Structure formats: C-alpha cells, structure tokens
Amino acid sequence: SPKVWPLWLCPVKKMNRDQIFSPHNTSTSDSYFTNFGIYGIPGKSSPISELTKALELEVAKLEGRKVLYSKSYYTPEEFWNIYSKVAYDALRKKYHADGTWLSIEQKLLDT
C-alpha cells in the first residue's frame, strides 16, 4: 500500500468555551479529542482535491471537524452544517467586518 509520512496523532484537551471554527468544542462529553494530521500524497493517488473531499465527508460522518488551515472543498451548505453561520455573522458584525473583508466562504471554500 502507498505510504504517507508523517502521520500526526495528537490527543488534545477540549476547551470549555465556544470555539467557532475550532474542533475543540464538540458535542461529545469526552474531555479529549484526537487531532489527526496526514502529510504528503501517496505516489499513486487521486488528485488532492478528491482525497481531501473524501476526508471531509468521512470526518463529518464521524461527527468530527477538519481544522481549517488546509484547503477545504466543502460546499457552503456542508460548511454551515458543521460551523455556526449565526455565530460567524455575529462575530463579523461585532468587529465591523461585515461587507469589508473577504468572507470565510471566499477564503476557504472551493466555490
């Protein structure tokens, strides 16, 4: 099988406060979650967009969250099913960023 190296498996203590775009505050009662990092692309593989999309779908199915430091291939509907658009819009309004800065969709989503 193709090898991808390194793999990152890191237990992380969950936060008790709201984290809009972070995986730290999920609906489970567990006090820790595992951060998985997969680096590199297997020699014989599908395009990275297909691999990432498959990973996003699997993580969502398992009620997890993909950290947003890498390219995302969510549709806007998929993204807002995971993250709170209401909280995001309130944060943009609070800091006077509504209408003046790029939206999260423009920055992260393949739209």
Side-chain angles (χ1 to χ4, degrees):
S1 69
K3 295 182 180 180
V4 178
W5 189 257
L7 293 178
W8 169 273
L9 302 173
C10 182
V12 179
K13 187 171 176 137
K14 286 176 50 174
M15 305 286 285
N16 290 325
R17 64 180 189 267
D18 195 18
Q19 300 283 314
I20 296 172
F21 292 115
S22 171
H24 293 79
N25 191 7
T26 60
S27 61
T28 67
S29 61
D30 299 329
S31 58
Y32 285 84
F33 69 93
T34 303
N35 179 304
F36 290 86
I38 304 168
Y39 300 89
I41 302 171
K44 295 180 180 179
S45 72
S46 302
I48 191 69
S49 60
E50 291 178 21
L51 294 171
T52 303
K53 182 66 179 179
L55 177 64
E56 290 171 351
L57 293 172
E58 187 65 23
V59 167
K61 186 169 65 174
L62 296 170
E63 298 181 20
R65 288 185 173 186
K66 178 179 162 281
V67 178
L68 299 175
Y69 57 75
S70 63
K71 177 82 171 146
S72 295
Y73 295 91
Y74 296 115
T75 65
E77 294 78 23
E78 290 168 334
F79 187 84
W80 295 121
N81 280 330
I82 299 167
Y83 302 101
S84 171
K85 182 148 178 48
V86 171
Y88 170 74
D89 288 340
L91 189 63
R92 284 181 63 95
K93 185 173 183 174
K94 177 180 178 180
Y95 291 102
H96 310 288
D98 48 334
T100 58
W101 296 90
L102 292 176
S103 72
I104 196 80
E105 290 180 16
Q106 292 167 310
K107 290 179 182 180
L108 294 175
L109 306 179
D110 192 32
T111 57

